[in-house]
Amino acid sequence: MTALKDTDDLTREEAMTELERLAGVIAEHDRHYHQMDAPKISDVAYDALRQRNAAIEARFDDLVRPDSPSKRVGTRPAEGFGKIAHNVAMLSLDNVFSDDEVHEFTKRVRRFLRWPEDQPLAFTAEPKIDGLSCAIRYEHGRLVQAATRGDGRTGEDVTNNVRTIIDVPQTLKGDDWPEVLEVRGEVYIPNAEFAIMNAAQVAASKPVYANPRNAAAGSLRQLDASISAARPLRFFAYAWGEISAPVAKTQRQAVQNLSKWGFSINAHMRLCQNVDEMIAVYQTIEAARSSLGYDIDGVVYKVDRLDLQERLGFVSRSPRWASAHKFPPEQASTTLEKIDIQVGRTGALTPVAKLKAVTVGGVMVSNASLHNADEIARLDAREGDTVLIQRAGDVIPQIVKVLEAKQVMRSDPFQFPKVCPCPLKTPTVREIDEKTGEPGVITRCSGEFACPFQRVRHLEHFVSRQAFDIEGLGKKQIAAFFDEKTIIEPADIFTLKDRNETLKLETCEGWGDLSARNLFAAIEARRTISLERLLIALGIRHVGQTNARLLSTAYLNWERFHVAMLAAQVPASEAFIYLKNIDGVGPIMAEAIVHFFAEPQTQGLVERLLAQIDVKDAIAPKSDSPVAGKTVVFTGKLEQMSRDEAKAKAAALGAKIAGSVSAKTNILIAGPGAGSKLKKANDLGVRVMNEDEWLELIEH
Ligand code: IVH
C-alpha cells in the first residue's frame, strides 16, 4: 500500500491509480456488507473511501471509471433468492459531513434549479435509519412483492420474509392509495430486541451479531421465512418507487399518507425553511441518538416539493434532491505494540501498526496503517505508545495521534529499515518522485524479482479476483506452494497438474482428492483468458482494471500488443507514440509498460506464461445512443435548462463532457454569448450546434 495523499495533491497518474484501487476496495467491502452481511470496516471508514473516490472524480471528471463506485449501489443479489428487477432503480444517498457541506448542498440545489437565495425552499430532515432498504409492492391495496436493494437494479425476492414483519400491512388502510404503490423504507431491529437476540446466541454458544444492522440483514435474508418470522424485525416507510399515480405534492405529505395507509413512519421528521433549521434538527437528533431505541447513522435532508425533486433528478447513484448528513467518525485509544514492515508487490515497504485489540464503532481493530516513514516521523509514533485511532479513510484504521499525557518511558524513535525484511536483506531505496525529482514518500526494496516477498505478492495478485481469479488458490496456498518451490512464477500454476505424478498434491497437508481435483479444474478453466485479465495479472505498474481495459480495446489482441510493446522500446518510435497517445494512457504509464517489457526477467516470465495459456481477443466496443462516446463541450448561455442539467443529460447518454475545445472534441453546443471556444471549434472544424439542434439530436 502506498501513502494516502491528500486528494488535492494527486497527480493525474496517481489519481488514476487511486481511483482504480478505490473501485476494487469498495467493491470488496460492498460484497462483505451486502452479500455476506459481515462488513469488514465501519460505515465511517466506508463513507470515507467513497468520499475520497468522489473527491478525486470531482477533480478529474474524465477519469471516472465505468465500474466506479459512484455509479453503483450495493452489489449483485446473493444466490439462492429469486431475483426482482426494480422498475425504478433503488439508489443511495450522497453524504455530507459538516455544516459547511450542508450549506453547499442547499446552494447546489438552488443553483441547479436557478432558485434565488431569497426565494423560500423547504427541506425535510429525518433520522437516517441504519438498517437495510426494502421495496414493498402493493397492487390494488394488497402486498404482492418485496425486494431488497441488491445492486439497485435487481434485488432479492424477500416477499415471504417481509410478510412476517409486524409493522408492514398486508393490505393498505383507506382507499385513496394508487393502484400500484411500491413503498420503500428501512428494515431494522430495535436495540433492546437486538440485545435479547445476542444473549440468546451466547446462551446457545453461537456467534453474536456485530450490530443490529447485520442482525436485521441476516434475519430478513433467510430462505426459510419462518426464521424471519421469529426475529424482531421492524420497518420504517420513508419513500416510494413505482407508483401508478402521484402520492402527494410534497415529501412530508407523501410520508403522512404512508402513515395513513398503515405504515410506521419516523416521528422525528421535521420541515425546515432554511439551512439553520436543518442543522438545528441534525443537532437535536444527534443528541437524542442514544435514546431513540434503534441505530441511526445520520440525518437525511430532502427537498420537500416533489415537482422540484423531479426536476433535480439523479447523478449516477444518488438523487440531487437529497443528502445524508453523517455523524462523525468513532475513535478509541489503545497501545501501539509493534511496528511491522510489509513488502508489497512493487517492493514498497509499508509500516503497519500492531495494536492491542480494541473495538471502534462496533468493530474489533488490531492493525492500523502507518503508510510510510514520513507518517511515522510526523506522528512520532513509537512502540509502546498510547495512540488515538480512528476508523476512517482507509481499509484499515488510522492512527490520529500519540496521546502524550499517557506516555511515561518511551522507546527510541522508530528507525525505518535500511534493508528489506525478506531473507535476502536487499538494501532499500527511497524512491524519487517522478514529477518533482525530489525524494518521494515510498521506500522500496531494490530486489525486484529477486525479492521473494515481492514474488509472493506478485503471485497473489496474479490469481486474484480481477486477474486470473483461480478458485482454491488463495494467499495461504500461494504462500505454501512458494515455500516448497512448487510455484515460483505464474507459468508454474499451469504445469501443476502435469507435475502431480511426483507432487501428489492430494497427499499433502490441507489437500485431499477432491480439493486437488477441484484446483486442477479451476486452473484449467482459466487457461483461456481475456486480454484484459492477462494485462491486469501481469502486474505492470499503473495498469489495473481500467487501464488494462483501455489497452485491451486499443490493441484487441495479445500478439499485436506484445509486438507493439517490444517496438515501443525505441524512444520516439511510432509504437511508443501510439501507446502514449491512447486516450487515458499518457507518458508515465507508457514508460512503465515499456520498462516492464524491457526487463529480461519479466520477458522470461511472460514468455513462459504465454507458452501455457491462450489469450482471447478483445471485442471492439459498440454503442447505440447518437452521442455515446462522443466528446462534447458546452459554451455560452443555455436557455432551456441550467448548464449542469444539460451536462447531466449528455452524460446519461454516454457522452464525455469536456471543459475545453480540442481536436478530440466532436460537438460544441454553443449558446448566446459564446466566444473563444466557438472560434476555436470553427478553426478546428469541430461540429457546432445550438441548444435546439442539440436537443433535437439527443431526443431522437
Ligand atoms: S431516502 C433515493 N431516507 O440510506 C434514495 N434513505 O445511504 C432515497 N436510509 O439507500 C433514500 N434512512 O437505505 C432515505 N430516512 C431515510 C433513510 C434512508 C436510511 C438508507 C437507505 C438508502 C441509504 C443511503
Side-chain angles (χ1 to χ4, degrees):
M1 193 193 310
T2 50
L4 269 191
K5 265 198 187 178
D6 195 294
T7 53
D8 286 340
D9 299 338
L10 293 175
T11 64
R12 199 182 157 75
E13 302 298 326
E14 286 167 342
M16 203 184 308
T17 314
E18 182 65 355
L19 286 175
E20 165 152 22
R21 181 185 76 86
L22 288 167
V25 168
I26 293 172
E28 185 64 18
H29 287 309
D30 282 346
R31 235 162 48 74
H32 281 278
Y33 188 89
H34 293 284
Q35 282 182 10
M36 311 189 230
D37 300 325
K40 284 170 74 180
I41 58 169
S42 71
D43 292 355
V44 172
Y46 177 81
D47 287 340
L49 288 174
R50 275 203 180 261
Q51 246 194 321
R52 185 168 169 82
N53 191 71
I56 302 174
E57 288 185 346
R59 277 193 62 209
F60 301 97
D61 60 356
D62 57 323
L63 293 186
V64 176
R65 304 163 53 86
D67 65 343
S68 166
S70 63
K71 294 193 177 174
R72 152 171 83 62
V73 291
T75 185
R76 275 177 291 133
E79 298 297 322
F81 287 91
K83 315 257 181 298
I84 290 182
H86 298 299
N87 292 340
V88 176
M90 282 186 90
L91 296 155
S92 193
L93 291 169
D94 201 24
N95 295 322
V96 296
F97 295 88
S98 66
D99 295 356
D100 281 351
E101 287 179 350
V102 180
H103 279 273
E104 277 168 31
F105 161 63
T106 61
K107 282 197 187 131
R108 222 169 27 242
V109 168
R110 283 178 178 276
R111 248 196 328 270
F112 192 93
L113 295 170
R114 298 212 171 149
W115 205 264
E117 284 293 333
D118 52 7
Q119 198 170 327
L121 182 63
F123 287 83
T124 56
E126 68 197 65
K128 184 171 187 305
I129 317 297
D130 197 6
L132 70 154
S133 47
C134 193
I136 313 176
R137 187 180 173 96
Y138 291 81
E139 288 175 8
H140 306 286
R142 285 209 167 80
L143 192 165
V144 292
Q145 197 176 65
T148 62
R149 181 166 70 178
D151 64 2
R153 292 206 173 79
T154 313
E156 295 143 352
D157 183 345
V158 287
T159 312
N160 293 333
N161 316 68
V162 165
R163 283 188 194 281
T164 70
I165 302 178
I166 55 170
D167 44 11
V168 171
Q170 302 294 321
T171 50
L172 299 177
K173 285 198 211 154
D175 55 9
D176 56 344
W177 24 259
E179 267 180 30
V180 175
L181 171 66
E182 188 193 320
V183 176
R184 292 183 176 179
E186 206 80 356
V187 173
Y188 68 100
I189 288 181
N191 295 137
E193 316 281 356
F194 171 71
I196 296 170
M197 244 176 108
N198 260 355
Q201 290 289 106
V202 172
S205 303
K206 289 194 184 143
V208 295
Y209 295 98
N211 53 51
R213 199 214 81 90
N214 291 332
S219 300
L220 182 68
R221 296 165 68 252
Q222 289 286 341
L223 291 171
D224 176 359
S226 66
I227 301 178
S228 302
R231 303 282 173 83
L233 293 167
R234 297 285 185 285
F235 181 75
F236 272 132
Y238 53 66
W240 53 95
E242 192 182 352
I243 40 176
S244 55
V247 280
K249 287 206 156 73
T250 64
Q251 179 73 34
R252 206 162 112 99
Q253 191 58 51
V255 172
Q256 272 160 5
N257 284 342
L258 293 177
S259 162
K260 201 173 70 181
W261 296 331
F263 292 92
S264 297
I265 60 167
N266 194 281
H268 299 272
M269 182 201 265
R270 296 286 177 271
L271 191 64
C272 307
Q273 302 302 338
N274 55 50
V275 190
D276 293 338
E277 289 182 21
M278 291 158 74
I279 292 169
V281 175
Y282 171 86
Q283 286 162 348
T284 309
I285 293 177
E286 189 181 23
R289 186 178 183 185
S290 57
S291 57
L292 291 176
Y294 45 85
D295 277 5
I296 64 171
D297 56 348
V299 169
V300 184
Y301 306 123
K302 300 173 186 168
V303 169
D304 191 40
R305 269 177 54 176
L306 300 184
D307 59 330
L308 298 182
Q309 287 191 5
E310 176 92 27
R311 272 183 62 195
L312 283 154
F314 297 85
V315 235
S316 54
R317 72 184 265 278
S318 39
R320 281 196 193 81
W321 44 264
S323 191
H325 191 172
K326 300 294 278 284
F327 295 134
E330 301 200 45
Q331 298 184 329
S333 71
T334 188
T335 312
L336 168 55
E337 290 182 331
K338 194 170 177 307
I339 298 177
D340 253 8
I341 301 287
Q342 294 179 353
V343 183
R345 172 162 58 90
T346 58
L349 267 51
T350 308
V352 175
K354 295 285 168 189
L355 305 167
K356 181 155 180 255
V358 62
T359 46
V360 193
V363 181
M364 187 69 89
V365 165
S366 51
N367 289 325
S369 171
L370 279 165
H371 306 305
N372 53 53
D374 287 359
E375 176 73 357
I376 300 179
R378 186 183 72 78
L379 293 164
D380 185 23
R382 307 184 195 182
E383 292 177 351
D385 281 355
T386 302
V387 291
L388 184 69
I389 58 167
Q390 170 175 306
R391 298 189 55 81
D394 201 354
V395 193
I396 50 176
Q398 288 177 310
I399 294 184
V400 182
K401 61 177 178 184
V402 172
L403 294 170
E404 308 256 349
K406 303 219 174 151
Q407 311 304 343
V408 201
M409 281 281 289
R410 300 186 72 195
S411 59
D412 292 334
F414 182 75
Q415 293 295 320
F416 208 83
K418 302 262 183 293
V419 297
C420 180
C422 80
L424 298 183
K425 308 221 174 308
T426 321
T428 59
V429 284
R430 183 88 182 228
E431 196 173 75
I432 302 296
D433 188 289
E434 280 158 340
K435 280 268 151 60
T436 59
E438 304 279 319
V441 287
I442 302 172
T443 306
R444 265 182 224 282
C445 160
S446 57
E448 297 210 15
F449 275 95
C451 172
F453 282 17
Q454 289 184 53
R455 295 191 73 140
V456 172
R457 293 289 101 74
H458 190 258
L459 284 165
E460 288 170 357
H461 170 77
F462 186 88
V463 298
S464 67
R465 210 157 45 82
Q466 292 195 336
F468 272 70
D469 191 20
I470 298 178
E471 208 169 315
L473 200 50
K475 285 189 182 175
K476 209 174 93 197
Q477 292 80 8
I478 288 285
F481 280 134
F482 188 84
D483 281 346
E484 295 152 8
K485 302 199 166 46
T486 307
I487 295 178
I488 57 166
E489 62 171 70
D492 298 339
I493 295 170
F494 295 95
T495 59
L496 201 60
K497 190 173 172 209
D498 290 344
R499 291 183 284 143
N500 203 41
E501 294 260 303
T502 46
L503 278 174
K504 300 213 189 308
L505 184 59
E506 58 284 354
T507 63
C508 297
E509 207 196 304
W511 295 95
D513 269 338
L514 182 66
S515 55
R517 248 185 296 130
N518 285 346
L519 177 65
F520 295 140
I523 293 172
E524 251 2 86
R526 293 290 185 269
R527 204 179 277 279
T528 304
I529 196 85
S530 70
L531 178 56
E532 178 182 319
R533 279 181 181 269
L534 171 62
L535 293 175
I536 297 172
L538 292 180
I540 306 168
R541 280 249 204 122
H542 306 296
V543 182
Q545 197 171 38
T546 320
N547 295 335
R549 190 166 300 162
L550 279 180
L551 294 169
S552 153
T553 35
Y555 292 93
L556 297 175
N557 153 300
W558 164 259
E559 278 74 30
R560 191 179 309 143
F561 171 76
H562 192 217
V563 168
M565 291 314 107
L566 299 178
Q569 303 294 323
V570 180
S573 60
E574 206 176 303
F576 183 76
I577 291 167
Y578 177 82
L579 172 66
K580 190 181 72 160
N581 287 341
I582 294 173
D583 195 12
V585 171
I588 293 180
M589 199 193 342
E591 287 290 352
I593 301 171
V594 167
H595 173 77
F596 180 91
F597 286 98
E599 288 286 308
Q601 286 264 22
T602 45
Q603 273 176 12
L605 290 177
V606 169
E607 223 165 86
R608 289 188 292 276
L609 172 65
L610 266 294
Q612 295 296 330
I613 61 171
D614 288 315
V615 189
K616 272 187 295 196
D617 288 354
I619 301 160
K622 270 206 283 272
S623 64
D624 42 10
S625 133
V627 296
K630 296 263 189 316
T631 301
V632 303
V633 176
F634 289 90
T635 187
K637 197 165 148 32
L638 295 181
E639 272 150 357
Q640 317 209 14
M641 60 186 80
S642 70
R643 182 74 73 84
D644 284 341
E645 202 166 346
K647 283 186 182 174
K649 269 203 170 144
L653 291 168
K656 288 187 235 163
I657 321 292
S660 59
V661 175
S662 73
K664 285 192 194 149
T665 310
N666 298 105
I667 305 171
L668 177 78
I669 298 100
S676 61
K677 285 182 192 168
L678 178 58
K679 185 177 175 306
K680 187 156 182 203
N682 283 330
D683 291 349
L684 291 168
V686 169
R687 182 170 175 203
V688 177
M689 44 178 81
N690 65 27
E691 191 178 354
D692 288 338
E693 288 163 339
W694 165 253
L695 290 174
E696 167 100 18
L697 173 71
I698 59 174
E699 270 150 28
H700 284 105

